Amino acid sequence: MSAFDTVLMVDWSGGNDRGPTPKKDAIWIGGSDMAPLYQRNRHHAETWLRARIDRALQQGERVLLGFDFPFGYPKGFAQALTKTSDPFAVWDWLERRIEDLPEGNNRWEIAAELNRLFPGVGPFWGNGGKTDWADLPRKGRDRTSDTLPERRSVELAAPRAFPVWQLAGAGSVGSQVLMGLPVLARLRRDFGAAISVWPFQPPDGQVVLAEIWPSILNDLVHAHMHPGAIRDAVQVDLIAAAFAGVSADALAEMLSHADDEEGWILGLGHEDLLIEALTKPKPPVLANDCFALPPGVDWTPVAEAMARLRTAIAPVVAPVATPLDVAAGRILAADVVATRANPPAANAAVDGYGFAQTSDAAEITLPLVAGRAAAGQAFDGAVPAGHAVRILTGAALPQGVDTVVLEEDCAVTPLAVSFRGPIKRGSNTRAAGEDFAIGHTVLPRGAVLRSPDIALAAAAGAGTVTAFAPLRVGVLSTGDELVEATAQDRGVVDANRPMLSALVARWGYTLVDLGIAPDDPDAVRAALDRGADTADVILTSGGASAGDEDHISALLRTEGHLTAWRIALKPGRPLAMAMWRGTPVFGLPGNPVAAFVCTLLFARPALSVLAGGAWLEPLRLELPAAFAKRKKAGRSEYPRARQTADGRAEVFTSEGSGRISGLSWANGLLELGPEAREIRQGDLVTFLPFAGFGL
Ligand code: AMP
Ligand code: MG
């Protein structure tokens, strides 16, 4: 983890915001805590940044906030402009003079004015506007001014970077500087000491502004582009992830560079570390003592055990780029943001005839133009006013068509179509983007991808999503008495491992079969070692209480940071939680019924969180009891139960926790809380259907 809680990276824009449609090259903000965010102009971006900084300050969150334009000018510029070499004096000068409205701004004028400070023509050049400005040459080679260096020192170290003097042309950055520094000056003025500006100031503010140059990651960005992807969005997303992923030491090293006038590019010269942070993400690790109970805690109520477990764990798998065709069942590690709109263009919702609706007449007859519009086969040309065209479902509306009449409502000849009016304009059409627009977050981080979600991601242009690597779950049975179901010799058949393996598969995790270990410390140790090497989490059963042969407990206690949780729960009670060489271990009871109940109640939500998903609550239904029962107060009971045809809950005849037949008989559990003492026929009881556990 870096010393920052959040990394935000902004791809700035120097141009105007004209025209009705959002532009791809406007502002994009990437963040380690969010999907790339589109901002149509600087004004929107500044508002968003202010709100975001406010939130960070309120929550005590440290933020690294990068902008992709130089924070300073080559040596000598500040002195000539402001009579001091202080770069912030330049920021403030620009803040006073730059006018910025969505319709236009005065950057050409200001650049021309700045040029007049220096002898000769220049140093600013390039003019993307129609108006000529005296003192602002259109071509770089027309400049004669040579009092200032062409490049900052950092741009000598990064020869592909564009000099700040160039204001227009592909790749140029000069306009962004003129239009960006005023915004930074205002943030600095309004947030005071909470903001520090690297490398002019030490990076110890709660929010640190830094100059970035996304081209550092050009190759990776290129490899990550897919059809329809917006380059700026991909770029800020990756660069934010890279800075969020580098080690705290590496980032501190990058930030140790200081400069008092020209500025520097954060990460320059450390590209390998940034690339490594993206290509070899380090899976998070749980603390060794994460399962420890506070001293004095003995019999833990179920709800409290659940709450403790919930705070102890976090995802242990790394996010990886995952092609959609293998993404089913995987958990999203980042939001999916639409790079395509759905539908991409306005189109027909039915088969019929398309026309421009203008008439309120009760009967309308329109001549038909030749040809037709079908899905994927655009109509060639425009449909003249007062005409109609044959159109099929899904066809893009040809120019001149805003309404479609259903073919069943029409009388048609080869030359004309008639139907009853009036018809509302827009009838039977779908607007472009009416389902979702570009930039819309269609799926949130943490979502488990089901087939409908795969369809949505595909339609949104996400051929690859960022999903957590599948959680590998090791399953181990322990006990000298256990034999495989296929064995000829007598013994207790290992029922837990097939049961747990089936649950692991059902929940979409990757099974690692660790076999049966006899009650022998060396054998158990070897099995746990294998588990730690090949799995992300281990489920063991048996040997979890404190008896002589309970080697799992003994071993985990001496070598594995064990916490034996004595949970006030029937069936179940002992649940051992431990870390074995950095891998979490759930030591489940040996009795199959208890092992099953503890797995559903405790392991299922925990596995989901370890895998990057949400803590999962069971589905709870209130049903009238079809039985009567007394129970001990102070502990929770989870008898095996079944929903009867008339909607009541019945329980299995025997409560013996070795009775596997009762598990199979049941289609749910009852949840009888610690306060319950006596249940009478017809009382409402809480029924947890197996289906609600994903079974
Ligand atoms: P333990 O927790 O090892 O004392 O085991 C408690 C009871 O569960 C004993 O009767 C064991 O034989 C039984 N048991 C333990 N593991 C399994 C298993 N994998 N399959 C079936 N029964 C088991
Ligand atoms: Mg045993």
Side-chain angles (χ1 to χ4, degrees):
M1 255 322 266
S2 72
F4 292 94
D5 302 300
T6 310
V7 175
L8 296 173
M9 293 291 163
V10 185
D11 189 302
W12 201 245
S13 155
N16 292 341
D17 170 34
R18 286 215 180 93
T21 45
K23 295 185 299 179
K24 288 182 178 185
D25 62 353
I27 295 172
W28 283 90
I29 306 177
S32 54
D33 65 341
M34 64 175 200
L37 182 74
Y38 172 81
Q39 298 286 317
R40 69 172 297 147
N41 62 33
R42 287 178 292 277
H43 178 74
H44 285 287
E46 183 174 345
T47 306
W48 186 88
L49 286 167
R50 276 174 188 281
R52 186 64 186 80
I53 293 172
D54 268 330
R55 192 177 103 198
L57 299 187
Q58 269 162 31
Q59 299 182 350
E61 176 192 14
R62 279 206 85 206
V63 178
L64 176 63
L65 177 53
F67 292 86
D68 69 334
F69 56 80
F71 282 8
Y73 283 92
K75 259 197 178 23
F77 179 79
Q79 183 72 41
L81 180 64
T82 65
K83 309 283 177 269
T84 141
S85 64
D86 179 3
F88 295 134
V90 176
W91 289 27
D92 291 337
W93 190 95
L94 289 173
E95 201 276 324
R96 285 192 301 275
R97 301 298 313 282
I98 288 284
E99 288 161 18
D100 191 4
L101 294 170
E103 312 75 69
N105 61 68
N106 64 348
R107 70 189 191 278
W108 313 119
E109 215 173 315
I110 294 290
E113 177 182 338
L114 290 169
N115 275 351
R116 288 194 284 275
L117 295 173
F118 302 93
V121 181
F124 288 97
W125 68 278
N127 173 351
K130 289 199 183 72
T131 323
D132 276 319
W133 294 96
D135 306 312
L136 181 62
R138 286 194 182 261
K139 300 252 180 284
R141 60 169 185 272
D142 292 340
R143 293 178 302 165
T144 56
S145 170
D146 59 358
T147 35
L148 293 176
E150 176 68 1
R151 291 176 160 269
R152 300 181 295 153
S153 304
V154 69
E155 286 145 9
L156 298 173
R160 284 185 299 121
F162 279 65
V164 293
W165 308 127
Q166 184 182 342
L167 303 183
S172 67
V173 74
S175 283
Q176 296 185 43
V177 184
L178 290 177
M179 304 311 297
L181 291 181
V183 174
L184 302 194
R186 282 193 288 277
L187 294 180
R188 217 174 84 79
R189 185 183 66 203
D190 297 346
F191 289 102
I195 288 189
S196 51
V197 180
W198 177 88
F200 306 138
Q201 299 172 310
D204 46 18
Q206 198 171 327
V207 176
V208 174
L209 308 190
E211 170 185 342
I212 53 151
W213 186 43
S215 301
I216 282 186
L217 296 180
N218 253 352
D219 293 347
L220 282 184
V221 171
H222 187 74
H224 210 67
M225 292 291 292
H226 52 87
I230 295 170
R231 190 182 172 88
D232 288 357
V234 171
Q235 199 155 275
V236 289
D237 194 34
L238 289 186
I239 200 146
F243 278 104
V246 291
S247 70
D249 287 350
L251 191 55
E253 166 73 20
M254 296 178 197
L255 286 166
S256 66
H257 187 102
D259 185 286
D260 54 14
E261 184 171 356
E262 292 188 331
W264 196 263
I265 292 166
L266 186 63
L268 190 72
H270 302 278
E271 291 81 350
D272 49 338
L273 294 177
L274 293 169
I275 289 167
E276 196 179 296
L278 280 177
T279 52
K280 292 190 201 129
K282 299 234 180 324
V285 285
L286 297 178
N288 268 335
D289 61 353
C290 66
F291 296 128
L293 293 177
V297 169
D298 193 7
W299 284 101
T300 316
V302 169
E304 191 185 327
M306 211 75 93
R308 282 190 188 288
L309 183 60
R310 195 170 174 169
T311 52
I313 53 169
V316 291
V317 283
V320 285
T322 308
L324 264 197
D325 55 355
V326 294
R330 302 279 291 277
I331 299 172
L332 283 180
D335 296 351
V336 173
V337 176
T339 55
R340 291 167 178 263
N342 189 47
N347 65 78
V350 298
D351 291 347
Y353 296 86
F355 59 100
Q357 157 58 13
T358 49
S359 162
D360 289 336
E363 195 175 313
I364 300 169
T365 299
L366 300 172
L368 276 172
V369 298
R372 59 168 207 167
Q377 293 167 19
F379 177 76
D380 208 8
V383 175
H387 288 63
V389 64
R390 173 68 171 147
I391 192 164
L392 301 178
T393 306
L397 298 187
Q399 219 186 316
V401 171
D402 59 19
T403 305
V404 175
V405 53
L406 195 64
E407 67 182 12
E408 287 85 337
D409 294 340
C410 297
V412 196
T413 72
L415 296 184
V417 56
S418 299
F419 49 88
R420 288 186 192 286
I423 289 191
K424 229 173 103 196
R425 173 169 305 138
S427 291
N428 299 315
T429 66
R430 309 171 181 134
E434 71 173 24
D435 188 10
F436 52 80
I438 290 178
H440 183 77
T441 298
V442 292
L443 290 165
R445 178 195 153 96
V448 182
L449 292 173
R450 309 156 307 160
S451 51
D453 309 318
I454 301 278
L456 180 55
T464 299
V465 295
T466 306
F468 288 103
L471 186 75
R472 299 163 305 167
V473 184
V475 175
L476 172 68
S477 289
T478 69
D480 282 338
E481 75 282 24
L482 298 181
V483 296
E484 300 279 1
T486 51
Q488 296 302 313
D489 53 334
R490 287 169 175 278
V492 177
V493 170
D494 175 9
N496 289 349
R497 196 160 48 99
M499 173 178 75
L500 295 173
S501 301
L503 287 174
V504 166
R506 178 82 192 185
W507 291 334
Y509 306 124
T510 303
L511 176 69
V512 178
D513 186 357
L514 298 173
I516 301 174
D519 288 319
D520 163 63
D522 290 337
V524 174
R525 183 185 297 111
L528 289 175
D529 280 348
R530 247 184 315 128
D533 288 341
T534 56
D536 302 306
V537 51
I538 302 171
L539 303 181
T540 72
S541 65
S545 44
D548 285 352
E549 297 299 330
D550 288 332
H551 293 293
I552 289 276
S553 302
L555 201 63
L556 293 174
R557 184 169 295 111
T558 50
E559 299 175 33
H561 304 277
L562 170 94
T563 303
W565 290 24
R566 296 209 294 165
I567 301 172
L569 164 76
K570 180 187 171 188
R573 300 230 275 232
L575 184 64
M577 313 270 209
M579 294 296 290
W580 184 263
R581 291 181 34 213
T583 301
V585 180
F586 285 79
L588 300 162
N591 278 310
V593 174
F596 184 72
V597 169
C598 284
T599 303
L600 294 197
L601 294 179
F602 295 97
R604 174 173 176 264
L607 292 177
S608 172
V609 172
L610 292 169
W615 179 269
L616 302 173
E617 288 291 338
L619 178 66
R620 294 184 163 90
L621 307 176
E622 299 297 312
L623 301 183
F627 62 92
K629 174 185 161 61
R630 286 174 180 280
K631 78 174 258 299
K632 238 163 111 177
R635 78 176 181 202
S636 299
E637 294 191 14
Y638 290 85
R640 287 136 286 169
R642 193 155 80 169
Q643 192 173 2
T644 62
D646 62 357
R648 293 178 305 149
E650 57 178 337
V651 289
F652 191 59
T653 45
S654 160
E655 294 190 4
S657 75
R659 301 280 286 259
I660 303 173
S661 59
L663 273 186
S664 178
W665 169 90
N667 61 13
L669 302 173
L670 286 188
E671 182 173 56
L672 308 176
E675 67 294 336
R677 284 169 157 278
E678 184 176 4
I679 293 111
R680 283 161 312 211
Q681 294 266 356
D683 285 355
L684 283 184
V685 288
T686 304
F687 178 73
L688 316 181
F690 286 163
F693 293 101
L695 303 182

